[in-house]
Every structure is written in C-alpha cells, then in structure tokens.
Amino acid sequence: MKVAIIGACNVGTALATSIARGGHDVLITSRDPDDAASAAAASGARVVESTAAAASEADVIIPAVGFADLGEVASEIADAA
C-alpha cells in the first residue's frame, strides 16, 4: 500500500518510520524540502515534491501537520483525493 505523510516533523517522521517498517511504500512531503529529505533519510520514505502529488499517488493520506495548517492541506489535496 502507498501511504502519503503530509508533514515531516517529529510526528510525520515517526509515522513514516513505523509504516515503512510494516512494508508499505511511504511518500513524504513538507513545505520545507530539507525537512522532507531528512525525514525520508531517517525513515526509508520517498520524498515527493508537492502535497498534491503525494496525495494523487497514495492509497492512504495522513496529515501530520498542526491543526492551523489542516485547511491549507485539505485545499491542496482536494482534487487528488
């Protein structure tokens, strides 16, 4: 299963690590490309350049962002999901 993690801070990285260990293909994205790269290196996930691209590839989408950012994420993935 392909799982997209939107957000690459502590929670996103921890989720990506656990899900990748479970044998799933994990996509990770962040508004900060360096954060996404670090999270991918630590977890075994694959960096995707945009939230919409991650959502369009994934079977499951997990937003790992703060509550204040959920509206923006929802707008970015609305057409892909």
Side-chain angles (χ1 to χ4, degrees):
M1 178 182 322
K2 279 190 183 178
V3 179
I5 308 287
I6 312 300
C9 288
N10 293 335
V11 172
T13 302
L15 287 167
T17 301
S18 295
I19 293 167
R21 281 187 194 149
H24 300 285
D25 183 14
V26 180
L27 315 171
I28 196 158
T29 188
S30 174
R31 66 177 132 199
D32 183 334
D34 291 334
D35 285 347
S38 294
S43 66
R46 177 170 51 99
V47 175
V48 180
E49 292 188 21
S50 73
T51 301
S56 68
E57 285 189 52
D59 300 308
V60 175
I61 303 164
I62 300 173
V65 299
F67 181 76
D69 295 321
L70 281 175
E72 181 181 343
V73 169
S75 294
E76 291 175 12
I77 67 172
D79 291 333

